[in-house]
Structure formats: C-alpha cells, structure tokens
Amino acid sequence: MAKSRRDRADFYTLKARAEGYPARSVYKLEEMQQHFSLIKAGDTVLDVGAAPGSWTLYVKRNFLSTRGRIVAVDLNPLSLSPLPEGVMEVVGDAFSPEIRKELIAHGPYDVIISDAAPQTSGIRSVDTSRSEALCEAVIFLSEEQLKEGGNLVVKLFQGGGQEALITEMRELFDRVKPYKPKACRDDSFEVYLVGLGRKERSRA
Ligand SMILES: C[S@@+](CC[C@H](N)C(=O)[O-])C[C@H]1O[C@@H](n2cnc3c(N)ncnc32)[C@H](O)[C@@H]1O
C-alpha cells in the first residue's frame, strides 16, 4: 500500500535521523530555545513526557555541564542507549504520588519542559480535554518545583481551554506566550505554552 504524505519521512525526520535524535520533535524545542532562551548551561532540567528522548538528548548535548542534571520522566523508557551521563531516567506516571515524590527529591528545577501528550482517541474534544488535564498537572508541578526565575514550556492540543491555562500561567510567570514551532506538522493542532520567569512564591 502506498504510504500517505504524513507517513513519508519529511525534512525534520531525516534531519533527526542524520543527527542521531530518536524523534523529529527535537526541532520544536530547538526553535523555542532560539526564540526564548529557555535553558542555560548548567541548568537542572525536568523533561516531562520525555520518551523516546530527543528533547532530553538535545538538552544533554547543548546545556549539561558539571553543574546541573536532566531528570527525564515518561510512562515508557527512553530509547537512548546507553543512557547519557547526567541524565536521570524515571519511568512511570509523572503525576502519580510515588513518581511525584521522586521528581521532588531531584528538584527544584531551573527549567521544566513538557512535550507530554495523551493517548489519542481520534475524537478531538476528548483528546484536547485530556491534553488540557496534562497541561494543568504540569503547571501545578511548576508551581511546586520550579525555582524563582525559572522557565516552563508545555504542550497543549488546542481546544477551548487555552485562555484559561494562559491566565493560570500568568499568575506564576512574568511573561506567558503561546508558540507554534515551524516543525509542528501542518495538520497538528498542538501549541506550546511558554512561561518565562517564575515569580517569587509570595507574589504567585
Ligand atoms: C510526543 S511524546 C514526547 C517526545 C519527546 N519530547 C521526544 O522528543 O522524544 C509524548 C510522551 O508523553 C508521555 N506521557 C503522556 N502522559 C504521561 C504521564 N502522565 N507521565 C509521563 N509521561 C507521559 C507519553 O508516554 C509519550 O512518550
């Protein structure tokens, strides 16, 4: 059977393969990094929904120094073998009480990046509300675990909840912007919410 246009390897898939990244999504983070300077050398970074591991590998290659580390959590194991030095892998539901405890033990974090996506059902309203729930849980984690001045990027499938999530993030961050990287597929309805400069706890 002929492959659909979407199945065929596109520019970003081929580039990811050539550069040794397990997924094309790395170029979304790279573009947001170029645009917002989210991560600095030596930062401690939490990657939520990290598998197969492109975002983690990008942070490791570009920002990990003797200071800092990357904590990568996903329901599934990373496909980075061997696991790069400085990367701590946590397998499980990022929002379960046990895993949350583990993430807290490794925090607090300078930056939280989340490309977490729910299992899709194909029913847009179901998928967007699952994504909003994930997004909300990541924002809550940032409220607890992001250092003052820290940055957040979190993926959202666009439904009706974007404005409410942005309002929530404005309570926590100096600047909040929705951003759609060029590497997002044409037919995708995802957007990233970027929070810059975690406010002091007393102001939040
Ligand atoms: C699009 S993939 C992430 C790709 C990754 N950024 C990369 O570049 O390799 C979305 C991931 O979110 C994960 N995920 C969804 N819900 C999760 C949860 N509650 N806890 C941890 N990971 C979750 C999925 O298992 C999936 O691997």
PDB file of all heavy atoms in Angstrom, residues 22-23 25-26 47-55 73-76 92-95 115-118 134 155, ligand 1:
ATOM      1  N   PRO A  22      16.228  10.495  18.358  1.00  0.00           N
ATOM      2  CA  PRO A  22      15.186   9.492  18.109  1.00  0.00           C
ATOM      3  C   PRO A  22      13.862  10.046  17.591  1.00  0.00           C
ATOM      4  O   PRO A  22      13.024   9.266  17.147  1.00  0.00           O
ATOM      5  CB  PRO A  22      14.999   8.813  19.476  1.00  0.00           C
ATOM      6  CG  PRO A  22      15.570   9.728  20.481  1.00  0.00           C
ATOM      7  CD  PRO A  22      16.582  10.584  19.785  1.00  0.00           C
ATOM      8  N   ALA A  23      13.645  11.363  17.650  1.00  0.00           N
ATOM      9  CA  ALA A  23      12.365  11.899  17.143  1.00  0.00           C
ATOM     10  C   ALA A  23      12.556  13.301  16.579  1.00  0.00           C
ATOM     11  O   ALA A  23      13.405  14.066  17.037  1.00  0.00           O
ATOM     12  CB  ALA A  23      11.314  11.922  18.255  1.00  0.00           C
ATOM     13  N   SER A  25      10.691  15.759  16.939  1.00  0.00           N
ATOM     14  CA  SER A  25      10.193  16.801  17.857  1.00  0.00           C
ATOM     15  C   SER A  25      11.319  17.658  18.437  1.00  0.00           C
ATOM     16  O   SER A  25      11.076  18.747  18.944  1.00  0.00           O
ATOM     17  CB  SER A  25       9.385  16.169  18.982  1.00  0.00           C
ATOM     18  OG  SER A  25      10.103  15.113  19.550  1.00  0.00           O
ATOM     19  N   VAL A  26      12.558  17.161  18.327  1.00  0.00           N
ATOM     20  CA  VAL A  26      13.692  17.945  18.849  1.00  0.00           C
ATOM     21  C   VAL A  26      13.741  19.352  18.242  1.00  0.00           C
ATOM     22  O   VAL A  26      14.122  20.316  18.903  1.00  0.00           O
ATOM     23  CB  VAL A  26      15.025  17.193  18.619  1.00  0.00           C
ATOM     24  CG1 VAL A  26      15.328  17.005  17.152  1.00  0.00           C
ATOM     25  CG2 VAL A  26      16.162  17.907  19.321  1.00  0.00           C
ATOM     26  N   ASP A  47      12.322  17.035  32.261  1.00  0.00           N
ATOM     27  CA  ASP A  47      11.654  16.773  30.976  1.00  0.00           C
ATOM     28  C   ASP A  47      10.487  15.821  31.255  1.00  0.00           C
ATOM     29  O   ASP A  47      10.693  14.657  31.591  1.00  0.00           O
ATOM     30  CB  ASP A  47      12.679  16.156  30.007  1.00  0.00           C
ATOM     31  CG  ASP A  47      12.121  15.956  28.600  1.00  0.00           C
ATOM     32  OD1 ASP A  47      10.921  16.206  28.388  1.00  0.00           O
ATOM     33  OD2 ASP A  47      12.907  15.553  27.719  1.00  0.00           O
ATOM     34  N   VAL A  48       9.269  16.333  31.124  1.00  0.00           N
ATOM     35  CA  VAL A  48       8.069  15.528  31.434  1.00  0.00           C
ATOM     36  C   VAL A  48       7.472  15.001  30.132  1.00  0.00           C
ATOM     37  O   VAL A  48       7.141  15.790  29.243  1.00  0.00           O
ATOM     38  CB  VAL A  48       7.017  16.397  32.177  1.00  0.00           C
ATOM     39  CG1 VAL A  48       5.780  15.554  32.516  1.00  0.00           C
ATOM     40  CG2 VAL A  48       7.590  17.029  33.427  1.00  0.00           C
ATOM     41  N   GLY A  49       7.325  13.688  30.042  1.00  0.00           N
ATOM     42  CA  GLY A  49       6.872  13.079  28.788  1.00  0.00           C
ATOM     43  C   GLY A  49       8.055  13.026  27.838  1.00  0.00           C
ATOM     44  O   GLY A  49       7.979  13.505  26.717  1.00  0.00           O
ATOM     45  N   ALA A  50       9.149  12.439  28.328  1.00  0.00           N
ATOM     46  CA  ALA A  50      10.458  12.584  27.667  1.00  0.00           C
ATOM     47  C   ALA A  50      10.738  11.555  26.571  1.00  0.00           C
ATOM     48  O   ALA A  50      11.624  11.770  25.750  1.00  0.00           O
ATOM     49  CB  ALA A  50      11.557  12.498  28.716  1.00  0.00           C
ATOM     50  N   ALA A  51      10.025  10.427  26.579  1.00  0.00           N
ATOM     51  CA  ALA A  51      10.346   9.347  25.626  1.00  0.00           C
ATOM     52  C   ALA A  51       9.877   9.686  24.204  1.00  0.00           C
ATOM     53  O   ALA A  51       8.862  10.355  24.055  1.00  0.00           O
ATOM     54  CB  ALA A  51       9.689   8.043  26.095  1.00  0.00           C
ATOM     55  N   PRO A  52      10.595   9.279  23.178  1.00  0.00           N
ATOM     56  CA  PRO A  52      11.784   8.418  23.213  1.00  0.00           C
ATOM     57  C   PRO A  52      13.074   9.099  23.678  1.00  0.00           C
ATOM     58  O   PRO A  52      14.034   8.436  23.974  1.00  0.00           O
ATOM     59  CB  PRO A  52      11.917   7.953  21.767  1.00  0.00           C
ATOM     60  CG  PRO A  52      11.257   9.028  20.956  1.00  0.00           C
ATOM     61  CD  PRO A  52      10.145   9.572  21.804  1.00  0.00           C
ATOM     62  N   GLY A  53      13.124  10.446  23.707  1.00  0.00           N
ATOM     63  CA  GLY A  53      14.298  11.056  24.327  1.00  0.00           C
ATOM     64  C   GLY A  53      14.983  12.170  23.563  1.00  0.00           C
ATOM     65  O   GLY A  53      16.080  12.589  23.944  1.00  0.00           O
ATOM     66  N   SER A  54      14.349  12.691  22.515  1.00  0.00           N
ATOM     67  CA  SER A  54      15.029  13.734  21.718  1.00  0.00           C
ATOM     68  C   SER A  54      15.252  15.029  22.493  1.00  0.00           C
ATOM     69  O   SER A  54      16.317  15.637  22.384  1.00  0.00           O
ATOM     70  CB  SER A  54      14.207  14.067  20.476  1.00  0.00           C
ATOM     71  OG  SER A  54      14.200  12.983  19.632  1.00  0.00           O
ATOM     72  N   TRP A  55      14.239  15.445  23.238  1.00  0.00           N
ATOM     73  CA  TRP A  55      14.398  16.711  23.977  1.00  0.00           C
ATOM     74  C   TRP A  55      15.499  16.546  25.033  1.00  0.00           C
ATOM     75  O   TRP A  55      16.348  17.417  25.208  1.00  0.00           O
ATOM     76  CB  TRP A  55      13.074  17.124  24.637  1.00  0.00           C
ATOM     77  CG  TRP A  55      12.082  17.754  23.701  1.00  0.00           C
ATOM     78  CD1 TRP A  55      12.017  17.585  22.343  1.00  0.00           C
ATOM     79  CD2 TRP A  55      11.014  18.663  24.042  1.00  0.00           C
ATOM     80  NE1 TRP A  55      10.966  18.320  21.833  1.00  0.00           N
ATOM     81  CE2 TRP A  55      10.336  18.981  22.837  1.00  0.00           C
ATOM     82  CE3 TRP A  55      10.555  19.206  25.234  1.00  0.00           C
ATOM     83  CZ2 TRP A  55       9.240  19.849  22.802  1.00  0.00           C
ATOM     84  CZ3 TRP A  55       9.457  20.065  25.203  1.00  0.00           C
ATOM     85  CH2 TRP A  55       8.816  20.388  24.003  1.00  0.00           C
ATOM     86  N   VAL A  73      11.263  12.002  32.721  1.00  0.00           N
ATOM     87  CA  VAL A  73      10.206  11.098  33.196  1.00  0.00           C
ATOM     88  C   VAL A  73       9.238  10.795  32.074  1.00  0.00           C
ATOM     89  O   VAL A  73       8.857  11.682  31.303  1.00  0.00           O
ATOM     90  CB  VAL A  73       9.484  11.690  34.438  1.00  0.00           C
ATOM     91  CG1 VAL A  73       8.847  13.034  34.154  1.00  0.00           C
ATOM     92  CG2 VAL A  73       8.428  10.727  34.981  1.00  0.00           C
ATOM     93  N   ASP A  74       8.868   9.522  31.964  1.00  0.00           N
ATOM     94  CA  ASP A  74       7.866   9.119  30.972  1.00  0.00           C
ATOM     95  C   ASP A  74       7.225   7.801  31.409  1.00  0.00           C
ATOM     96  O   ASP A  74       7.818   7.033  32.167  1.00  0.00           O
ATOM     97  CB  ASP A  74       8.497   8.937  29.578  1.00  0.00           C
ATOM     98  CG  ASP A  74       7.457   9.038  28.463  1.00  0.00           C
ATOM     99  OD1 ASP A  74       6.618   8.111  28.303  1.00  0.00           O
ATOM    100  OD2 ASP A  74       7.438  10.074  27.766  1.00  0.00           O
ATOM    101  N   LEU A  75       6.032   7.560  30.880  1.00  0.00           N
ATOM    102  CA  LEU A  75       5.353   6.278  31.099  1.00  0.00           C
ATOM    103  C   LEU A  75       6.178   5.154  30.493  1.00  0.00           C
ATOM    104  O   LEU A  75       6.137   4.018  30.964  1.00  0.00           O
ATOM    105  CB  LEU A  75       3.974   6.289  30.414  1.00  0.00           C
ATOM    106  CG  LEU A  75       2.959   7.309  30.936  1.00  0.00           C
ATOM    107  CD1 LEU A  75       1.777   7.434  29.970  1.00  0.00           C
ATOM    108  CD2 LEU A  75       2.474   6.908  32.317  1.00  0.00           C
ATOM    109  N   ASN A  76       6.915   5.488  29.429  1.00  0.00           N
ATOM    110  CA  ASN A  76       7.728   4.496  28.708  1.00  0.00           C
ATOM    111  C   ASN A  76       9.213   4.803  28.870  1.00  0.00           C
ATOM    112  O   ASN A  76       9.580   5.968  29.059  1.00  0.00           O
ATOM    113  CB  ASN A  76       7.392   4.533  27.210  1.00  0.00           C
ATOM    114  CG  ASN A  76       5.928   4.268  26.963  1.00  0.00           C
ATOM    115  OD1 ASN A  76       5.406   3.248  27.389  1.00  0.00           O
ATOM    116  ND2 ASN A  76       5.254   5.213  26.320  1.00  0.00           N
ATOM    117  N   GLY A  92       7.372   6.045  34.674  1.00  0.00           N
ATOM    118  CA  GLY A  92       6.087   5.987  35.376  1.00  0.00           C
ATOM    119  C   GLY A  92       5.280   7.230  35.087  1.00  0.00           C
ATOM    120  O   GLY A  92       5.718   8.126  34.351  1.00  0.00           O
ATOM    121  N   ASP A  93       4.120   7.281  35.694  1.00  0.00           N
ATOM    122  CA  ASP A  93       3.217   8.421  35.522  1.00  0.00           C
ATOM    123  C   ASP A  93       3.741   9.605  36.347  1.00  0.00           C
ATOM    124  O   ASP A  93       3.813   9.526  37.570  1.00  0.00           O
ATOM    125  CB  ASP A  93       1.821   8.001  36.000  1.00  0.00           C
ATOM    126  CG  ASP A  93       0.807   9.120  35.870  1.00  0.00           C
ATOM    127  OD1 ASP A  93       1.194  10.290  35.679  1.00  0.00           O
ATOM    128  OD2 ASP A  93      -0.395   8.816  35.975  1.00  0.00           O
ATOM    129  N   ALA A  94       4.106  10.667  35.642  1.00  0.00           N
ATOM    130  CA  ALA A  94       4.733  11.829  36.294  1.00  0.00           C
ATOM    131  C   ALA A  94       3.872  12.408  37.413  1.00  0.00           C
ATOM    132  O   ALA A  94       4.391  13.106  38.288  1.00  0.00           O
ATOM    133  CB  ALA A  94       4.991  12.912  35.245  1.00  0.00           C
ATOM    134  N   PHE A  95       2.576  12.101  37.369  1.00  0.00           N
ATOM    135  CA  PHE A  95       1.686  12.746  38.341  1.00  0.00           C
ATOM    136  C   PHE A  95       1.157  11.782  39.401  1.00  0.00           C
ATOM    137  O   PHE A  95       0.302  12.146  40.194  1.00  0.00           O
ATOM    138  CB  PHE A  95       0.534  13.433  37.577  1.00  0.00           C
ATOM    139  CG  PHE A  95       1.070  14.238  36.427  1.00  0.00           C
ATOM    140  CD1 PHE A  95       0.867  13.831  35.117  1.00  0.00           C
ATOM    141  CD2 PHE A  95       1.853  15.364  36.662  1.00  0.00           C
ATOM    142  CE1 PHE A  95       1.421  14.539  34.052  1.00  0.00           C
ATOM    143  CE2 PHE A  95       2.411  16.073  35.601  1.00  0.00           C
ATOM    144  CZ  PHE A  95       2.182  15.664  34.303  1.00  0.00           C
ATOM    145  N   ASP A 115       6.619  17.887  26.698  1.00  0.00           N
ATOM    146  CA  ASP A 115       6.039  17.570  25.393  1.00  0.00           C
ATOM    147  C   ASP A 115       5.029  16.434  25.602  1.00  0.00           C
ATOM    148  O   ASP A 115       4.671  15.734  24.664  1.00  0.00           O
ATOM    149  CB  ASP A 115       7.191  17.114  24.476  1.00  0.00           C
ATOM    150  CG  ASP A 115       6.837  17.094  23.006  1.00  0.00           C
ATOM    151  OD1 ASP A 115       5.918  17.822  22.604  1.00  0.00           O
ATOM    152  OD2 ASP A 115       7.497  16.351  22.252  1.00  0.00           O
ATOM    153  N   ALA A 116       4.602  16.254  26.868  1.00  0.00           N
ATOM    154  CA  ALA A 116       3.720  15.127  27.200  1.00  0.00           C
ATOM    155  C   ALA A 116       2.435  15.212  26.397  1.00  0.00           C
ATOM    156  O   ALA A 116       1.851  16.281  26.242  1.00  0.00           O
ATOM    157  CB  ALA A 116       3.407  15.115  28.696  1.00  0.00           C
ATOM    158  N   ALA A 117       2.023  14.068  25.877  1.00  0.00           N
ATOM    159  CA  ALA A 117       0.804  14.006  25.067  1.00  0.00           C
ATOM    160  C   ALA A 117      -0.015  12.811  25.537  1.00  0.00           C
ATOM    161  O   ALA A 117       0.546  11.764  25.849  1.00  0.00           O
ATOM    162  CB  ALA A 117       1.171  13.827  23.599  1.00  0.00           C
ATOM    163  N   PRO A 118      -1.333  12.967  25.573  1.00  0.00           N
ATOM    164  CA  PRO A 118      -2.161  11.829  25.997  1.00  0.00           C
ATOM    165  C   PRO A 118      -2.273  10.803  24.874  1.00  0.00           C
ATOM    166  O   PRO A 118      -1.976  11.106  23.718  1.00  0.00           O
ATOM    167  CB  PRO A 118      -3.527  12.497  26.233  1.00  0.00           C
ATOM    168  CG  PRO A 118      -3.548  13.657  25.293  1.00  0.00           C
ATOM    169  CD  PRO A 118      -2.121  14.141  25.190  1.00  0.00           C
ATOM    170  N   LEU A 134      -3.388  17.242  31.299  1.00  0.00           N
ATOM    171  CA  LEU A 134      -1.937  17.031  31.426  1.00  0.00           C
ATOM    172  C   LEU A 134      -1.219  18.368  31.630  1.00  0.00           C
ATOM    173  O   LEU A 134      -0.337  18.506  32.481  1.00  0.00           O
ATOM    174  CB  LEU A 134      -1.383  16.397  30.149  1.00  0.00           C
ATOM    175  CG  LEU A 134      -1.332  14.889  30.031  1.00  0.00           C
ATOM    176  CD1 LEU A 134      -0.782  14.502  28.666  1.00  0.00           C
ATOM    177  CD2 LEU A 134      -0.445  14.301  31.112  1.00  0.00           C
ATOM    178  N   LYS A 155       3.282  21.430  26.269  1.00  0.00           N
ATOM    179  CA  LYS A 155       2.484  21.233  25.042  1.00  0.00           C
ATOM    180  C   LYS A 155       0.996  21.164  25.350  1.00  0.00           C
ATOM    181  O   LYS A 155       0.585  20.598  26.362  1.00  0.00           O
ATOM    182  CB  LYS A 155       2.908  19.931  24.368  1.00  0.00           C
ATOM    183  CG  LYS A 155       2.028  19.591  23.174  1.00  0.00           C
ATOM    184  CD  LYS A 155       2.709  18.721  22.178  1.00  0.00           C
ATOM    185  CE  LYS A 155       2.705  17.263  22.534  1.00  0.00           C
ATOM    186  NZ  LYS A 155       3.472  16.532  21.515  1.00  0.00           N
TER     187      LYS A 155
HETATM  188  C1  LIG B   1       5.321  13.275  21.870  1.00  0.00           C
HETATM  189  S1  LIG B   1       5.990  12.180  23.068  1.00  0.00           S
HETATM  190  C2  LIG B   1       7.364  13.109  23.667  1.00  0.00           C
HETATM  191  C3  LIG B   1       8.518  13.166  22.702  1.00  0.00           C
HETATM  192  C4  LIG B   1       9.791  13.675  23.354  1.00  0.00           C
HETATM  193  N1  LIG B   1       9.697  15.093  23.670  1.00  0.00           N
HETATM  194  C5  LIG B   1      10.993  13.499  22.463  1.00  0.00           C
HETATM  195  O1  LIG B   1      11.449  14.496  21.907  1.00  0.00           O
HETATM  196  O2  LIG B   1      11.489  12.378  22.318  1.00  0.00           O
HETATM  197  C6  LIG B   1       4.830  12.326  24.379  1.00  0.00           C
HETATM  198  C7  LIG B   1       5.153  11.460  25.577  1.00  0.00           C
HETATM  199  O3  LIG B   1       4.333  11.847  26.687  1.00  0.00           O
HETATM  200  C8  LIG B   1       4.287  10.711  27.545  1.00  0.00           C
HETATM  201  N2  LIG B   1       3.284  10.873  28.612  1.00  0.00           N
HETATM  202  C9  LIG B   1       1.955  11.066  28.479  1.00  0.00           C
HETATM  203  N3  LIG B   1       1.360  11.126  29.693  1.00  0.00           N
HETATM  204  C10 LIG B   1       2.338  10.973  30.623  1.00  0.00           C
HETATM  205  C11 LIG B   1       2.352  10.935  32.046  1.00  0.00           C
HETATM  206  N4  LIG B   1       1.227  11.052  32.758  1.00  0.00           N
HETATM  207  N5  LIG B   1       3.532  10.767  32.678  1.00  0.00           N
HETATM  208  C12 LIG B   1       4.679  10.617  31.953  1.00  0.00           C
HETATM  209  N6  LIG B   1       4.725  10.644  30.600  1.00  0.00           N
HETATM  210  C13 LIG B   1       3.574  10.811  29.929  1.00  0.00           C
HETATM  211  C14 LIG B   1       3.998   9.575  26.567  1.00  0.00           C
HETATM  212  O4  LIG B   1       4.309   8.317  27.131  1.00  0.00           O
HETATM  213  C15 LIG B   1       4.893   9.957  25.371  1.00  0.00           C
HETATM  214  O5  LIG B   1       6.115   9.254  25.394  1.00  0.00           O
END
